[in-house]
Amino acid sequence: MKTSLFNFQEKALQNLRIKLDDAAYSYKRTHTPQVISFTAPTGAGKTIIIASLIESIFFGNDSFLEQQDAIFVWISDSPQLNEQSKQKIEFKTDKLVYGQCITITEDSFDKEMLEDGHVYFLNTQKLGKSSNLVKHSDSRQYTIWETLANTVKEKGDKLYFIIDEAHRGMQEKDAAKATSIMQKFIKGSPNDNLPIMPIVLGMSATSQRFDVLVKGTTSTIHKVVITPDEVRSSGLLKDRIVIVYPEEQHNADIAVLQAAADEWRSKWDHWQQYCKEQHYANVNPVFVIQVLNGSGDRLTDSPLDELLKNIEERTNCKFIKGEVVHTFGQTTSDININGLEIPYEEPSRIAENRKIKVVFFKENLTTGWDCPRAETMLSYKHARDITYIAQLLGRMIRTPLQMRIQVDETLNDVHLYLPYFDADTVKEVVDELVNTEGAELPTEITNEAAGHSAYITLTVKPRSENKPITPSHHSSEYVQDVNHATQDSSLFTSNNVNNSDDVYNTTISSEDRINNDSDRAVSHGSVNTVKVHTNENTPHAKQFKPEESCRGDFGKVSQSNESDYSDSQNQVDDQSFSKIDREAIVKFINDSSLPTYNIRKVKIKNYLTSLYDLSRLLTQSGISSNAHDQVLNDIVNIIRQYCENLRANGKYEDLAKNVKLLKLSKQSFDIFGKELVEQSNYDLLVTDADIDRQFYHAENLLGKEGVANYYLRTFNTDDFIDSQIDVILFASDKDCMDKLQSYAERTFKATKDKFRRAITASNDEKIISRYNSIISDGDTVSDLIFRLPETIQVPTDKGGIHYSDHLFVDANSGTATIKLNGWEQGVIAEEQRKATFVCWLRNWVKRAWSLCIPYQTNNEIKGFYPDFIIISKDEYGYQIDILEPHGDGFADNFAKAQALAKYAQEALKICSSIGRIQLIRELADKNGSKRFKRLDMTDSMVRDRTLQAMNSEDIDRLFTDMGFFDD
């Protein structure tokens, strides 16, 4: 394959190959039809995996022999989907030759049997009763049913039938028809004289969908499943699809277009800065606009001239030919829009043509099209086209760089704008997508009214910490009254036609433009007030000083309800921003090697493979140049020691003889099956080629890392065959392989701990990201390096408090709007009063960057997210405090207390920057006043008693005995 598979895809490929081999063997023995159900969520890369499977069957691999006479029939319900699959296979495989993939057409296909060594593409629309393929004629000797029946009869042991998806997005009548046709291949069709296909591989987004097809069949069913969690953690897909719609439906066309253009402009700026800093070629995100069909002779009823004019004005970009294209099916000629020649472009070529910036289309981009650069899309489809829009979403979820962006969270989402939808119809779109793709999607779907983002963008690089905040306009005027102060700066210049891959020149820096994102009220409504806590005895809110930030003057906490921590509003003056060196704090945190955890339900790789990956990363990155060789040395020495022990015990020769000899049995029968002579056995000396085959199989068992050949080079004996036999004997001994896995587990864990700080100190996002990926793949619960990005996206909190001392803030206002409950507000208030306090971070749940700690409940390991990370500073510098306000009434109270203690026990060994790790409750002090009592898990005595606790009552007693109130 020209394309490397992700770990979860490689695992699925191996499972499919094993299941398919088992199915083929079972069919040969029993002639019982076999079905392999391959379930993978949207975006998992099902087509690429199956393409790799086809290539491995045709050409073999270390574990399986080649089968170059195999025949594949690939059937779907869509000609477009078939063509896309065919193109992907031809483009991505490097061993299939031109003409090996064939589309079965009505006008020319007429064969007695399918030919060996080919992949045939067929769709259900060509198999209806009116189709020429199912009828004899003067020009057709064989119907498609006869061709398939003859192939099953003569070549059934090498015929593989692939069913791609299951009428995705079809209407009920069409879906039922497609199901009926596809079931003919699974159940057979006596009316068409069609037997059951021997081996069927069905690929679908949900097992339920394929279960409908195989219901009632007598076939043996094998299952291979890719979970949404595997896809989500791979970084292959965007974190989120944001659907934006207008609150009011009057004249929203251009307003929503302008909002979409703002978002696209922002994406350009963010990608430009990221790619420049990380030394990648610029991503060049594409703005895709779906216009209306035309009435009468009109090409479209959408005002193309007005649309393009508004995009140019909004982005301050004058497009040139080739930067704007169309995919209208009625014509492949150039069209003129607003004085610009707009050429036609094949949808399949858009992703690779990096010159393209804007695409106008109508209905040909929902099936059979993927463009990871399409990060902003606007559709003028009406609300009745719900299924169509749901299909459209599936085209947008792949990441351009095939990885999650750690530094800037805004680059991990895509936006779809729907001017003719409202909250109810958008919800129907999401429901339809769930119904179509399954109950659990690998990508989050968020809907929001234009001007009221469900997520806000916060950064550690506020544009100015000394400028007053400009009052915002009312949200209903979110487009018409947007501040155009930044419009005099060009998004990108189009002077150089021949250099479309360059990072575009701008008249202001990317960072400045990124910080200007919050000027656009469509993306982030401007904030004109900052709420601050005030002493409950103060008759009115006071103007606070810069050094006070949002701390305010807090009175004693007397009750646990939220009113005790109520806030009042203050207008921000031009000195109201605290002087927090946010970038320095993030660097400090990222350099501290603070551990966080990733929890998975399944392990992607075994320890041996993970050890290879980790040692290779250390060597290739230069962190430990001999790490990989050291692992190989260890393993070949283990093999050598095993063989020397065999020789010392006198067992080696007998075992080696078994490798060199092939035992054969001979038995004779007459024509009636009566045994003539007794069975006799004899030995046959195997050839060097047979030894080689066993040797390569041993290398495969050892992880395909070159261990076998490394052994030959290290212990170069006089007899080359003897060295090969050493490796064969070791790999075929189950006890040896179990011991090797134990060595790999110990070494993997020791190596990751040893080099954690060196990985952190590299400050290379690629290395750190790869390290975290390897560690995550190596275990179900894996400890990673906690790292914060420079930009995050978090849910919008309506009615929240505007904090200027939060680590991440709005770029324009210098504050973060966060809604806390009563306890949380009170804890932050206590922290803000401390002389060592610098800033704090809300540890949002299940964000990619969030600090996660594993805990066990009901025999299941889950992750929990402590509420706050506090940054304080003393004479030695910054320190990290982890705080978890947690009531004693929660069922998970005991489990999370022990989880914090275990986390502290491990974290303190590797991170010297930790100050406190506290579990906090609101309890009465000696005067009967409600205050916050703390257990600090960095105290070894507290930690030990927590770990020795047997239940929640023991934790309650621990609060009584060792808990304390802050003064």
Side-chain angles (χ1 to χ4, degrees), residues 15-16 18-27 32-39 199-202 210 219-225:
N15 290 337
L16 282 169
I18 292 170
K19 297 288 187 184
L20 208 57
D21 191 66
D22 290 344
Y25 180 70
S26 296
Y27 178 75
T32 301
Q34 308 287 311
V35 172
I36 295 94
S37 172
F38 176 36
T39 303
I199 300 175
V200 174
L201 170 59
F210 192 70
S219 301
T220 302
I221 298 177
H222 314 259
K223 293 189 176 183
V224 176
V225 178

Side-chain angles (χ1 to χ4, degrees), residues 756-794:
R756 178 195 301 273
R757 291 188 66 83
I759 292 287
T760 304
S762 71
N763 284 320
D764 187 314
E765 183 183 356
K766 297 177 189 175
I767 293 174
I768 295 170
S769 177
R770 178 64 181 146
Y771 171 85
N772 281 341
S773 176
I774 291 170
I775 303 306
S776 295
D777 289 344
D779 221 333
T780 51
V781 178
S782 49
D783 53 321
L784 309 178
I785 300 169
F786 179 69
R787 289 183 66 82
L788 289 172
E790 295 176 354
T791 302
I792 64 174
Q793 284 193 312
V794 297

Side-chain angles (χ1 to χ4, degrees), residues 366-424:
T366 54
T367 303
W369 180 74
D370 279 311
C371 182
R373 293 194 295 120
E375 299 212 331
T376 308
M377 187 177 291
L378 180 145
S379 174
Y380 284 112
K381 279 282 184 179
H382 287 264
R384 60 179 176 272
D385 299 311
I386 292 206
T387 299
Y388 190 94
I389 297 298
Q391 288 179 284
L392 197 62
L393 288 175
R395 306 295 93 203
M396 303 175 62
I397 61 176
R398 296 191 189 277
T399 51
L401 299 180
Q402 292 194 321
M403 67 177 187
R404 190 182 185 281
I405 304 304
Q406 304 292 332
V407 175
D408 188 344
E409 281 209 326
T410 63
L411 301 180
N412 295 311
D413 62 29
V414 290
H415 282 68
L416 172 62
Y417 291 79
L418 301 174
Y420 292 128
F421 282 65
D422 56 25
D424 292 335

Side-chain angles (χ1 to χ4, degrees), residues 523-540:
S523 301
H524 315 290
S526 299
V527 180
N528 62 346
T529 60
V530 172
K531 297 181 182 179
V532 296
H533 296 294
T534 59
N535 187 304
E536 61 184 2
N537 297 320
T538 303
H540 59 275

